[in-house]
Amino acid sequence: MRANLLTVSDTRHAPDVLARPVRRTRLAVGLFLVAAVLVILCLLSLVIGSRAIPLGAAWQALSQADPGNVDAVVVRQLRVPRTIVGLFVGVALGLAGALMQGLARNPLADPGLLGVNAGASLAVVVAIGFLGISQPAGYVWFAFGGAAIAAVVVYSIGSMGRDGATPMTLALAGAALTALIQSAITVIQLRDVTTFDQFRFWEIGAIAGRDMDVVRQIAPFLILGVVVALSRGRMLNAMALGGDVARSLGRRVNVDRAVTAVGIVLLCGGATAMAGPIAFVGLAIPHAARLITGPDFRWILRYSALLGPVLILASDIVGRVVAQPSELQVGVVTALVGAPVLVVLVRRRRAGRP
């Protein structure tokens, strides 16, 4: 009789067990397709712009350095760095958004929630207004340092309560610090028109005009942040069940939150320092990944790492095309894409849907 009961129980769960490898295969294939789309966008990023360059000429420019060839100069000195910056920034913002939403257990959370963007912005304003630094390679370290300091301050404030750094206290501390910093930025800008003009270009968010020096300076921090982020999948799955349940599963919740916050600082700080504060990528990308993968953060993080640069590069290409011979910066295009996404998310939350 017992054997029969075990057989019935095993039969009942057999479809779920058999479905898991099929689902993993489907998600792996989907990840490969997204990677293929990303490769195509990288190629398009090299050939599309105010000066159209054939794919063959772009490939020749990459394989053979010819200072006398205008196409080669455009590809190697302008579009290759621009594409690489787009890749790094997209990966960083996509992963940072997924970490933020998982850590805060809030689907409307984005990398600005911990005050990271505001801290970077204040540091850049100070560098421009008081130190006379006007080039991205000069103030990139100020942006990174400001982002890190802001995140530490927010985490310290959020940890003061009896329960430690909870999602609610972190969100409130981040909102309060962001409001304070924005006021300080406005005061500095009003006293110096030159600072306002130079900061405005950085604040809008752009991957154009960045060179490989900026990439070499920031890439190690972003790579470390990616490693941290991709290792957080199981932890975020446990945290999604609540802090008490995560503790019962053997997780050290405060340590996990601190490590995840470090990953967010590395990713957000590096991306913001490299390209300026680009809006809505960290908000929209994890939701797009979740539509494909479901609630498993191990897959959400992998998809976010690829969908982020897909959105950044696609937005950059669209910005080059729609306003020729000029162009729209990528931060403007992502804002146009992200605003409707935010409206849809708010409406879904009001309707009680996830």
Side-chain angles (χ1 to χ4, degrees), residues 149-162:
I149 292 172
V152 170
V153 171
V154 168
Y155 191 83
S156 299
I157 296 173
S159 302
M160 289 181 178
R162 182 179 60 184

Side-chain angles (χ1 to χ4, degrees), residues 98-272:
L99 290 180
M100 286 289 296
Q101 292 177 14
L103 181 65
R105 299 203 305 273
N106 183 350
L108 297 181
D110 74 341
L113 186 65
L114 287 182
V116 173
N117 287 348
S121 298
L122 178 60
V124 170
V125 166
V126 170
I128 294 174
F130 296 100
L131 302 179
I133 299 173
S134 59
Q135 297 299 320
Y139 55 65
V140 64
W141 289 107
F142 288 89
F144 193 86
I149 292 172
V152 170
V153 171
V154 168
Y155 191 83
S156 299
I157 296 173
S159 302
M160 289 181 178
R162 182 179 60 184
D163 298 328
T166 65
M168 180 61 71
T169 58
L170 289 174
L172 292 175
L177 184 65
T178 297
L180 179 64
I181 289 176
Q182 290 296 341
S183 299
I185 290 174
T186 302
V187 171
I188 297 174
Q189 287 179 312
L190 289 176
R191 63 175 291 275
D192 189 347
V193 176
T194 302
T195 300
F196 175 79
D197 291 338
Q198 292 181 357
F199 176 71
R200 182 176 56 186
F201 175 77
W202 179 83
E203 186 181 32
I204 199 172
I207 62 175
R210 275 55 172 174
D211 56 28
M212 291 304 297
D213 288 338
V214 174
V215 175
R216 281 189 286 267
Q217 290 173 2
I218 301 299
F221 297 97
L222 291 180
I223 293 172
L224 180 59
V226 170
V227 173
V228 172
L230 293 178
S231 70
R232 299 285 90 194
R234 292 183 182 276
M235 183 276 295
L236 291 175
N237 285 340
M239 293 291 289
L241 302 174
D244 293 336
V245 176
R247 289 187 184 92
S248 70
L249 295 174
R251 303 298 314 189
R252 293 183 292 175
V253 173
N254 288 334
V255 174
D256 285 337
R257 286 172 176 164
V259 173
T260 306
V262 169
I264 292 171
V265 169
L266 291 171
L267 294 170
C268 290
T272 304

